[in-house]
Amino acid sequence: MNLYNIVHVHLRPWTEREIAFWGIITAVIVTRAVIGYKKGKICGRQAIAGVLLFLYLVLVFSSAVFTRMPDGNRQLEWRLFWSWREVIVNHNQELLQENLLNLVFLFPMGVLLPLVMHRRIAWWKGLVAGVMFSFIIESCQLLFSRGLFEWDDIVHNGLGCMAGCMICSVVFFHERGKRR
């Protein structure tokens, strides 16, 4: 499945009510970030990263759950790494592409977390954050019949978030070390 199909076949457009709701929530988040910055509680990079993280997670959650068309039945795959077996044994290129996309799906979340926290994030904390957020997405997909719950996605998303945290933490602290 390519990105075009994901966006144009599986996702419906946002309703006016959804746009208004998320617009109001975004305005509140931006306002809080500006106030936190002006009061000196957070730095500018934290404020920007916090707003970007919020916006990214809203888009991820809406694309993975809310704007997906329900298929009417709950689907789940309990076997761990079943998708890689399909890729290796049956040379399933579509599943390979899906696995790679899932690896980068939460990478931006991992990049933004150290910036929001304004400190280095340990690799395992990035993994846990990605796994937890992905588990929420997969559980909602199962609950609302909006896709396949699969452990492979949770693992891939968690690894992507972990990689983002590791890279940003190294770059962030390398940069901070130069300023001292």
Side-chain angles (χ1 to χ4, degrees), residues 56-106:
Y56 184 73
L57 294 181
V58 166
L59 290 174
V60 163
F61 205 81
S62 70
S63 69
V65 179
F66 292 123
T67 60
R68 282 182 109 167
M69 301 305 292
D71 55 14
N73 59 344
R74 290 182 172 83
Q75 303 174 45
L76 51 121
E77 178 57 64
W78 289 106
R79 295 176 296 157
L80 188 59
F81 302 124
W82 72 273
S83 60
W84 285 106
R85 184 178 188 285
E86 284 293 313
V87 168
I88 294 167
V89 173
N90 297 324
H91 309 288
N92 188 327
Q93 295 300 306
E94 192 171 301
L95 262 180
L96 175 62
Q97 182 181 7
E98 191 174 315
N99 286 348
L100 295 175
L101 286 172
N102 275 313
L103 281 167
V104 298
F105 194 50
L106 293 185

Coordinates of all heavy atoms in Angstrom, one line a residue, residues 56-106:
Y56 N 1.7 17.1 15.7 CA 2.0 15.9 15.0 C 1.2 14.7 15.6 O 0.7 13.9 14.9 CB 3.6 15.6 15.2 CG 4.0 14.4 14.4 CD1 4.0 14.4 13.0 CD2 4.2 13.2 15.1 CE1 4.4 13.2 12.3 CE2 4.6 12.0 14.4 CZ 4.6 12.0 13.0 OH 4.9 10.9 12.4
L57 N 1.1 14.7 16.9 CA 0.4 13.6 17.5 C -1.1 13.6 17.2 O -1.7 12.6 17.0 CB 0.6 13.5 19.1 CG 2.0 13.2 19.5 CD1 2.1 13.2 21.0 CD2 2.5 11.9 18.9
V58 N -1.7 14.8 17.1 CA -3.1 14.9 16.6 C -3.2 14.4 15.2 O -4.1 13.6 14.9 CB -3.6 16.4 16.7 CG1 -4.9 16.6 15.9 CG2 -3.8 16.8 18.1
L59 N -2.3 14.7 14.3 CA -2.3 14.2 12.9 C -2.1 12.7 12.9 O -2.8 12.0 12.1 CB -1.3 14.9 12.1 CG -1.6 16.4 11.8 CD1 -0.5 17.0 11.0 CD2 -2.9 16.5 11.0
V60 N -1.2 12.2 13.7 CA -1.0 10.8 13.7 C -2.2 10.0 14.2 O -2.7 9.1 13.6 CB 0.2 10.4 14.6 CG1 0.3 9.0 15.0 CG2 1.5 10.8 13.9
F61 N -2.7 10.5 15.3 CA -3.9 9.8 15.9 C -5.1 9.9 15.0 O -5.8 8.9 14.8 CB -4.2 10.4 17.3 CG -4.9 9.5 18.2 CD1 -4.3 8.5 18.9 CD2 -6.3 9.6 18.3 CE1 -4.9 7.6 19.7 CE2 -7.0 8.7 19.1 CZ -6.3 7.7 19.8
S62 N -5.3 11.1 14.4 CA -6.5 11.2 13.5 C -6.3 10.4 12.3 O -7.3 9.7 11.8 CB -6.7 12.7 13.1 OG -5.7 13.1 12.3
S63 N -5.1 10.3 11.7 CA -4.9 9.5 10.5 C -5.0 8.0 10.8 O -5.4 7.2 10.0 CB -3.6 9.8 9.8 OG -2.5 9.4 10.6
A64 N -4.6 7.6 12.0 CA -4.5 6.2 12.3 C -5.9 5.7 12.9 O -6.2 4.5 12.8 CB -3.4 5.9 13.3
V65 N -6.7 6.6 13.4 CA -7.9 6.2 14.1 C -9.1 6.9 13.6 O -10.0 6.3 13.0 CB -7.8 6.3 15.6 CG1 -9.1 5.9 16.3 CG2 -6.6 5.5 16.2
F66 N -9.2 8.2 13.8 CA -10.5 8.9 13.6 C -10.9 9.1 12.2 O -12.1 9.1 11.9 CB -10.5 10.2 14.4 CG -10.4 10.1 15.9 CD1 -9.4 10.6 16.6 CD2 -11.4 9.3 16.5 CE1 -9.4 10.4 18.0 CE2 -11.4 9.1 17.9 CZ -10.4 9.7 18.6
T67 N -10.0 9.4 11.3 CA -10.4 9.6 9.9 C -10.4 8.4 9.1 O -10.8 8.4 7.9 CB -9.6 10.7 9.2 OG1 -8.2 10.3 9.2 CG2 -9.7 12.0 10.0
R68 N -10.0 7.3 9.6 CA -10.1 6.0 8.9 C -11.5 5.5 8.9 O -12.3 5.6 9.8 CB -9.3 4.9 9.6 CG -7.8 5.0 9.4 CD -7.1 3.9 10.0 NE -6.6 3.0 9.0 CZ -5.7 2.1 9.3 NH1 -5.3 1.9 10.5 NH2 -5.2 1.3 8.3
M69 N -11.9 4.9 7.7 CA -13.2 4.4 7.6 C -13.3 3.1 8.4 O -12.5 2.2 8.2 CB -13.5 4.2 6.1 CG -13.4 5.4 5.3 SD -14.4 6.8 5.9 CE -16.1 6.2 5.6
P70 N -14.4 3.0 9.2 CA -14.6 1.7 9.9 C -14.9 0.6 8.9 O -15.6 0.8 8.0 CB -15.7 2.0 10.9 CG -16.4 3.2 10.3 CD -15.4 3.9 9.5
D71 N -14.4 -0.6 9.2 CA -14.6 -1.7 8.3 C -15.7 -2.7 8.9 O -16.0 -3.7 8.3 CB -13.3 -2.5 8.0 CG -12.6 -2.9 9.2 OD1 -13.1 -2.9 10.3 OD2 -11.4 -3.3 9.1
G72 N -16.2 -2.4 10.1 CA -17.3 -3.2 10.6 C -16.9 -4.4 11.5 O -17.7 -5.0 12.1
N73 N -15.7 -4.8 11.4 CA -15.3 -5.9 12.2 C -13.9 -5.7 12.9 O -13.1 -5.0 12.3 CB -15.2 -7.3 11.4 CG -14.3 -7.2 10.3 OD1 -13.8 -6.1 9.9 ND2 -13.9 -8.3 9.8
R74 N -13.7 -6.2 14.1 CA -12.5 -6.0 14.8 C -11.5 -7.0 14.3 O -11.8 -8.2 14.2 CB -12.7 -6.2 16.3 CG -13.5 -5.0 16.8 CD -13.7 -5.1 18.3 NE -14.3 -3.9 18.9 CZ -15.6 -3.7 18.9 NH1 -16.4 -4.5 18.3 NH2 -16.1 -2.6 19.4
Q75 N -10.3 -6.5 14.0 CA -9.2 -7.4 13.4 C -8.0 -7.3 14.3 O -7.6 -6.2 14.7 CB -8.8 -6.9 12.0 CG -10.0 -6.9 11.0 CD -9.5 -6.3 9.7 OE1 -8.4 -6.6 9.3 NE2 -10.2 -5.4 9.2
L76 N -7.4 -8.4 14.6 CA -6.2 -8.4 15.4 C -5.3 -9.5 15.0 O -5.7 -10.6 14.5 CB -6.5 -8.4 16.9 CG -7.4 -9.5 17.5 CD1 -6.6 -10.3 18.5 CD2 -8.5 -8.9 18.1
E77 N -4.0 -9.3 15.1 CA -3.0 -10.2 14.8 C -2.1 -10.4 16.0 O -1.4 -9.4 16.4 CB -2.1 -9.8 13.6 CG -1.0 -10.7 13.2 CD -1.4 -12.1 12.9 OE1 -2.2 -12.3 11.9 OE2 -1.1 -13.0 13.7
W78 N -2.2 -11.6 16.6 CA -1.5 -11.8 17.9 C 0.0 -12.2 17.7 O 0.8 -12.0 18.7 CB -2.2 -12.9 18.7 CG -3.5 -12.4 19.3 CD1 -4.7 -12.7 18.8 CD2 -3.7 -11.4 20.3 NE1 -5.7 -12.0 19.6 CE2 -5.1 -11.3 20.5 CE3 -2.8 -10.7 21.2 CZ2 -5.6 -10.4 21.5 CZ3 -3.4 -9.9 22.1 CH2 -4.8 -9.7 22.3
R79 N 0.3 -12.7 16.6 CA 1.7 -13.2 16.4 C 2.7 -12.1 16.2 O 2.5 -11.2 15.4 CB 1.8 -14.1 15.1 CG 1.0 -15.4 15.3 CD 1.0 -16.2 14.0 NE 0.4 -15.4 12.9 CZ 0.6 -15.5 11.6 NH1 1.4 -16.4 11.2 NH2 -0.1 -14.8 10.8
L80 N 3.7 -12.1 17.0 CA 4.8 -11.1 17.0 C 5.7 -11.4 15.8 O 6.0 -12.5 15.5 CB 5.6 -11.1 18.3 CG 6.6 -10.0 18.4 CD1 5.9 -8.6 18.4 CD2 7.3 -10.1 19.8
F81 N 6.0 -10.4 15.0 CA 6.8 -10.4 13.8 C 6.3 -11.2 12.7 O 7.0 -11.7 11.8 CB 8.3 -10.8 14.2 CG 8.9 -10.0 15.2 CD1 9.4 -10.5 16.4 CD2 9.0 -8.6 15.0 CE1 10.0 -9.7 17.3 CE2 9.6 -7.8 15.9 CZ 10.1 -8.3 17.1
W82 N 5.0 -11.4 12.6 CA 4.3 -12.1 11.5 C 4.6 -11.4 10.2 O 4.8 -12.0 9.2 CB 2.8 -12.2 11.7 CG 2.1 -10.9 11.5 CD1 1.9 -10.0 12.5 CD2 1.5 -10.5 10.3 NE1 1.2 -8.9 11.9 CE2 1.0 -9.2 10.6 CE3 1.4 -11.0 9.0 CZ2 0.3 -8.4 9.6 CZ3 0.8 -10.2 8.1 CH2 0.3 -8.9 8.4
S83 N 4.7 -10.1 10.2 CA 4.9 -9.3 9.0 C 6.3 -9.5 8.4 O 6.4 -9.6 7.2 CB 4.6 -7.8 9.2 OG 5.5 -7.3 10.2
W84 N 7.3 -9.7 9.3 CA 8.6 -9.9 8.8 C 8.7 -11.4 8.2 O 9.5 -11.6 7.3 CB 9.7 -9.7 9.9 CG 9.8 -8.2 10.1 CD1 9.4 -7.5 11.1 CD2 10.5 -7.3 9.2 NE1 9.7 -6.2 10.9 CE2 10.4 -6.0 9.7 CE3 11.1 -7.5 8.0 CZ2 10.9 -4.9 9.1 CZ3 11.6 -6.3 7.3 CH2 11.5 -5.1 7.9
R85 N 8.0 -12.3 8.8 CA 8.0 -13.6 8.2 C 7.4 -13.6 6.8 O 7.9 -14.2 5.9 CB 7.1 -14.6 9.1 CG 7.1 -16.0 8.6 CD 6.3 -16.9 9.5 NE 6.5 -18.3 9.2 CZ 5.9 -18.9 8.2 NH1 5.2 -18.2 7.3 NH2 6.1 -20.2 7.9
E86 N 6.3 -12.8 6.6 CA 5.8 -12.7 5.3 C 6.7 -12.0 4.3 O 6.8 -12.4 3.1 CB 4.5 -11.8 5.3 CG 3.3 -12.6 5.9 CD 2.8 -13.7 4.9 OE1 2.7 -13.4 3.7 OE2 2.6 -14.8 5.4
V87 N 7.5 -11.0 4.8 CA 8.5 -10.3 4.0 C 9.6 -11.3 3.6 O 10.0 -11.3 2.4 CB 9.0 -9.1 4.7 CG1 10.2 -8.5 4.0 CG2 7.9 -8.0 4.9
I88 N 10.1 -12.0 4.6 CA 11.3 -12.9 4.3 C 10.9 -14.1 3.5 O 11.5 -14.5 2.5 CB 12.0 -13.2 5.6 CG1 12.6 -12.0 6.2 CG2 13.0 -14.3 5.4 CD1 13.0 -12.1 7.7
V89 N 9.8 -14.8 4.0 CA 9.5 -16.1 3.3 C 8.7 -15.9 2.0 O 9.1 -16.5 1.0 CB 8.6 -16.9 4.3 CG1 8.0 -18.2 3.6 CG2 9.4 -17.3 5.5
N90 N 7.8 -15.0 2.0 CA 7.0 -14.8 0.8 C 7.3 -13.6 -0.1 O 6.7 -13.2 -1.0 CB 5.5 -14.7 1.1 CG 5.0 -16.0 1.8 OD1 5.4 -17.1 1.4 ND2 4.1 -15.8 2.8
H91 N 8.4 -12.9 0.3 CA 8.9 -11.7 -0.4 C 7.8 -10.7 -0.6 O 7.7 -10.1 -1.7 CB 9.5 -12.1 -1.7 CG 10.6 -13.2 -1.6 ND1 11.8 -13.0 -1.0 CD2 10.5 -14.5 -1.9 CE1 12.5 -14.1 -1.0 NE2 11.7 -15.1 -1.5
N92 N 7.0 -10.4 0.4 CA 5.9 -9.5 0.3 C 6.5 -8.0 0.4 O 6.7 -7.5 1.5 CB 4.9 -9.8 1.4 CG 3.6 -9.0 1.3 OD1 3.7 -7.8 0.8 ND2 2.5 -9.5 1.7
Q93 N 6.6 -7.4 -0.7 CA 7.2 -6.1 -0.8 C 6.2 -5.0 -0.2 O 6.7 -4.0 0.3 CB 7.5 -5.7 -2.3 CG 8.6 -6.6 -2.9 CD 9.9 -6.5 -2.1 OE1 10.4 -5.4 -1.9 NE2 10.4 -7.6 -1.7
E94 N 4.9 -5.2 -0.3 CA 4.0 -4.3 0.3 C 4.1 -4.3 1.8 O 4.0 -3.2 2.4 CB 2.5 -4.7 -0.2 CG 1.5 -3.6 0.1 CD 0.1 -3.9 -0.5 OE1 0.1 -4.1 -1.7 OE2 -0.8 -4.1 0.3
L95 N 4.2 -5.4 2.4 CA 4.4 -5.5 3.9 C 5.8 -4.9 4.3 O 5.9 -4.3 5.3 CB 4.3 -6.9 4.4 CG 2.9 -7.3 4.9 CD1 2.9 -8.7 5.4 CD2 2.5 -6.4 6.0
L96 N 6.8 -5.1 3.4 CA 8.1 -4.5 3.7 C 7.9 -3.0 3.8 O 8.4 -2.3 4.7 CB 9.1 -4.9 2.7 CG 10.5 -4.2 2.8 CD1 11.1 -4.6 4.2 CD2 11.4 -4.6 1.7
Q97 N 7.3 -2.4 2.8 CA 7.0 -1.0 2.7 C 6.2 -0.5 4.0 O 6.6 0.5 4.6 CB 6.3 -0.6 1.5 CG 6.1 0.9 1.3 CD 5.4 1.3 0.0 OE1 4.9 0.4 -0.7 NE2 5.2 2.5 -0.2
E98 N 5.2 -1.3 4.3 CA 4.4 -0.9 5.5 C 5.2 -1.0 6.8 O 5.1 -0.1 7.6 CB 3.2 -1.9 5.6 CG 2.2 -1.4 6.6 CD 0.9 -2.3 6.6 OE1 0.5 -2.6 5.5 OE2 0.5 -2.7 7.7
N99 N 6.1 -2.0 6.9 CA 6.9 -2.1 8.1 C 7.9 -0.9 8.2 O 8.1 -0.3 9.3 CB 7.7 -3.4 8.1 CG 6.9 -4.6 8.4 OD1 5.8 -4.5 8.9 ND2 7.4 -5.8 8.1
L100 N 8.5 -0.5 7.1 CA 9.4 0.6 7.1 C 8.7 1.9 7.4 O 9.2 2.8 8.1 CB 10.2 0.7 5.7 CG 11.1 -0.5 5.4 CD1 11.7 -0.4 4.0 CD2 12.2 -0.6 6.5
L101 N 7.5 2.1 6.8 CA 6.7 3.3 7.2 C 6.4 3.3 8.6 O 6.4 4.4 9.3 CB 5.4 3.3 6.3 CG 5.6 3.7 4.9 CD1 4.3 3.5 4.1 CD2 6.1 5.1 4.7
N102 N 6.1 2.2 9.2 CA 5.8 2.1 10.7 C 7.0 2.4 11.5 O 6.9 3.0 12.6 CB 5.2 0.8 11.1 CG 3.7 0.7 10.9 OD1 3.0 1.6 11.2 ND2 3.2 -0.3 10.2
L103 N 8.2 2.1 11.0 CA 9.4 2.5 11.7 C 9.6 4.0 11.8 O 10.1 4.5 12.7 CB 10.6 1.8 11.1 CG 10.8 0.3 11.4 CD1 11.9 -0.3 10.5 CD2 11.3 0.2 12.9
V104 N 9.2 4.7 10.7 CA 9.4 6.1 10.7 C 8.2 6.9 11.2 O 8.2 8.1 11.4 CB 9.8 6.6 9.3 CG1 11.1 6.0 8.9 CG2 8.8 6.4 8.3
F105 N 7.1 6.2 11.4 CA 5.8 6.8 11.8 C 5.9 7.7 13.0 O 5.5 8.8 13.1 CB 4.7 5.8 12.0 CG 3.3 6.3 12.0 CD1 2.8 7.1 11.0 CD2 2.5 5.9 13.0 CE1 1.5 7.6 11.1 CE2 1.2 6.3 13.1 CZ 0.7 7.1 12.1
L106 N 6.6 7.2 14.1 CA 6.7 8.0 15.3 C 8.2 8.5 15.5 O 8.5 9.0 16.6 CB 6.3 7.1 16.5 CG 4.9 6.8 16.6 CD1 4.6 6.0 17.9 CD2 4.0 8.0 16.5

